[in-house]
Amino acid sequence: MRTLLLIAAIVLAFLIVRTLLIRARPRKPSPRPTQRIQSGDVVRCDHCGLHVPESESVRNGDRHYCCEDHRRRALDD
Ligand SMILES: [Zn+2]
């Protein structure tokens, strides 16, 4: 009987903690990875070859980079 009460207490504690965690979590719009890509063309990073949406890419003339760091690295080469 004691074991049963212990299990019930653990389950109850788990449910309470989970409920608190869900409430504490800030509400974010559900992430939709495909939504970003729809907003524009996908370009290829000239340094690492990663494909990124054009709106998020770093441009240098007609070249695109996934981040500022790769733009700088490509210029150093
Ligand atoms: Zn890159």
Side-chain angles (χ1 to χ4, degrees):
M1 192 61 191
R2 268 183 121 183
T3 315
L4 204 70
L5 280 172
L6 193 71
I7 291 169
I10 290 168
V11 169
L12 197 71
F14 173 76
L15 288 173
I16 290 168
V17 168
R18 203 185 65 164
T19 307
L20 289 174
L21 284 175
I22 289 169
R23 283 191 185 175
R25 201 184 298 162
R27 280 193 176 184
K28 285 187 210 166
S30 56
R32 287 180 190 172
T34 50
Q35 208 173 35
R36 283 179 168 182
I37 297 165
Q38 285 171 357
S39 62
D41 291 336
V42 175
V43 293
R44 189 173 170 277
C45 175
D46 206 56
H47 183 74
C48 69
L50 187 80
H51 288 84
V52 287
E54 194 176 7
S55 57
E56 290 177 28
S57 69
V58 181
R59 284 187 77 162
N60 182 38
D62 57 347
R63 292 185 172 187
H64 297 272
Y65 303 94
C66 65
C67 57
E68 180 62 33
D69 186 46
H70 281 183
R71 188 184 70 85
R72 260 185 273 123
R73 285 194 200 186
L75 291 173
D76 289 343
D77 288 343

